[in-house]
């Protein structure tokens, strides 16, 4: 699968509950790519807490990440 092989490393998607981020997370996961969804209130297994106003949330969210899809507020 081209998507899974192109994203062999863990991908962190910010804005993962939005109009762009949510479909991207679903697409990557369906393709078998390792993906982590950066959200304010984690609810799913691939979710991680991320808050642009709280830099203390960055280290855990970024741990092991090789690629970042950044959507800023």
């Amino acid at each position: 699968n081209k998507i899974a092989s192109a994203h062999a490393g863990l991908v962190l998607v910010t804005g993962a509950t939005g109009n762009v981020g949510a479909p991207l997370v679903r697409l990557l996961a369906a393709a078998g790519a390792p993906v982590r969804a950066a959200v304010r209130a984690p609810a799913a297994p691939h979710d991680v807490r991320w808050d642009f106003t709280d830099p203390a949330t960055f280290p855990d969210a970024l741990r092991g990440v090789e690629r970042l899809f950044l959507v800023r507020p």
Side-chain angles (χ1 to χ4, degrees):
N1 184 318
K2 288 182 184 180
I3 292 174
S5 64
H7 299 284
L10 179 60
V11 180
L12 177 66
V13 178
T14 68
T17 58
N19 293 330
V20 174
L24 179 59
V25 168
R26 287 191 300 273
L27 177 67
L28 290 169
V35 63
R36 182 178 296 158
V39 298
R40 286 188 205 148
H46 60 261
D47 288 355
V48 64
R49 186 170 173 336
W50 175 276
D51 185 337
F52 277 101
T53 65
D54 184 1
T57 64
F58 300 174
D60 285 341
L62 292 168
R63 189 166 288 113
V65 169
E66 294 184 22
R67 293 187 163 104
L68 172 65
F69 183 83
L70 180 64
V71 176
R72 62 186 190 106

